[in-house]
Amino acid sequence: MEYYRLRDGLQLPKVGFGTYKLNGTNGVRAIESAINQGYRLIDTAYNYENEGTVGAAIRGAGVPRSELLVTSKLPGRYYHRAAAIDALKESLYRAGLDYFDLYLLHWPNPRKDLYVEAWQALIDAQQFGLVRSIGVCNFLPDYLDRLDRETGVLPVVNQIELHPHFNQADQRAYDEAHGILTEDWSPLGRASDVLQNPAIKAVAAAHNKGVGQVILRWAVQLGTLPIPKSQHASRQRENLDIFDFNLSDDEMATINALSTPDGRLKNQDPSKYEEF
C-alpha cells in the first residue's frame, strides 16, 4: 500500500473502503473481510445508518484500532454548533470508538447556510480530541474560500463525486493548490456503464488488469484517493491490487476524455442538492 500525507501530518492509504448500504450482519461480514484483505481506511457516515456495523466489524476483524483509519460524516440536520458535537459523540457511541481519524461535513447545503457554523464545530471537536483530522464532502471552491475567510482553517480532505464520466478537473486543481486531498466517492460509477466502456476495456487488456483496477489506478495517478465498495472478497482484493502497474500519459488522456460537464450520476450538484 502507498500513502498520502495530509497537510496536518495524518497519513491515509491511497485506496479506502466504502461502506454505503453495508448494514447488519452481512455488512459486518463484508467490512470484516475488507479489513482482513488489507484495507485500513474505512469510510462511513451518520446517514449511512451503519456506524454500529462498522464498529462491530472493527472489533471482529481483530486488527488493532491503532492500525485503522475510520471516517464518518456529519449530516446537515445537525449543523448547529452544539448539535454537531452531540451528533458526533452519538456516532462514536454507535461505533464503540473513542475517536474518529477523519470527520467530514457531508454536504454544504448552501440554502440553509449553516456550513460555516458546522465547520467551527468540527474545529472544536478536533481540539477536544474527538477527531484527529477534519474535512468536508462536496464543497465547491467558493464554499472552501468562505471557510478559510471566516475561520482561518481549511479542510485537509474534500470528498467528491469523481469517476471517468466526471473527473472534476477544476475542483481537483483547486484542492491541490490549497493543500486539500481529494477523495473520490463512487469512483467506479456505482456500477454504471463506465465499467463496460470499450476504451477502458482496451487499456485494461493491455495491462492484463480488470476495468475496475484500471479506473482506480487512474484515480490514484490523478493524485486522488478512491473509496470503492464491494461485498465480495475477490473484488475487494482486486481493488487493492493496483500498485504494480502504471498508466501511460496517453492512457490517462484516453480515460480523461470520457469526462463530461454533466457527468454526475444523479445530478447531485452541491450548489443545489441538499441532504439532511
Side-chain angles (χ1 to χ4, degrees), residues 46 74 78 80-93 103 121 130:
Y46 194 109
L74 182 71
Y78 297 125
H80 288 289
R81 196 166 178 175
I85 297 296
D86 287 342
L88 168 52
K89 289 178 180 177
E90 181 63 31
S91 288
L92 290 170
Y93 297 147
Y103 198 66
L130 298 173

Side-chain angles (χ1 to χ4, degrees), residues 76-210:
R77 61 188 177 278
Y78 297 125
Y79 274 15
H80 288 289
R81 196 166 178 175
I85 297 296
D86 287 342
L88 168 52
K89 289 178 180 177
E90 181 63 31
S91 288
L92 290 170
Y93 297 147
R94 291 180 182 184
L97 300 175
D98 295 325
Y99 64 92
F100 287 119
D101 299 275
L102 181 61
Y103 198 66
L104 313 175
L105 299 183
H106 208 156
W107 286 89
N109 299 331
R111 286 197 296 275
K112 286 289 186 181
D113 195 23
L114 290 171
Y115 64 81
V116 174
E117 181 174 344
W119 182 242
Q120 186 62 61
L122 265 59
I123 295 171
D124 295 342
Q126 187 177 36
Q127 293 171 346
F128 298 158
L130 298 173
V131 298
R132 295 175 70 189
S133 294
I134 54 175
V136 296
C137 303
N138 309 299
F139 268 57
L140 302 174
D142 285 351
Y143 307 150
L144 293 164
D145 285 341
R146 186 177 173 198
L147 293 183
D148 191 21
R149 187 170 61 249
E150 297 192 21
T151 72
V153 178
L154 274 171
V156 293
V157 162
N158 187 16
Q159 187 180 125
I160 60 176
E161 179 179 358
L162 196 154
H163 44 77
H165 286 163
F166 195 60
N167 72 8
Q168 295 261 42
D170 291 343
Q171 183 68 59
R172 285 189 287 108
Y174 176 98
D175 290 350
E176 183 176 2
H178 291 81
I180 300 169
L181 175 65
T182 300
E183 289 186 341
D184 317 342
W185 58 262
S186 292
L188 301 178
R190 292 182 182 172
S192 68
D193 60 355
V194 70
L195 295 178
Q196 304 304 320
N197 184 275
I200 304 178
K201 282 187 170 182
V203 174
H207 291 275
N208 196 28
K209 290 288 185 177

Side-chain angles (χ1 to χ4, degrees), residues 29-65:
R29 289 172 179 161
I31 299 164
E32 278 187 9
S33 171
I35 294 171
N36 290 328
Q37 298 299 334
Y39 289 88
R40 292 297 178 262
L41 174 60
I42 310 299
D43 183 271
T44 183
Y46 194 109
N47 275 353
Y48 296 175
E49 298 182 341
N50 70 350
E51 290 163 321
T53 296
V54 169
I58 289 171
R59 292 186 292 276
V63 172
R65 169 69 179 92

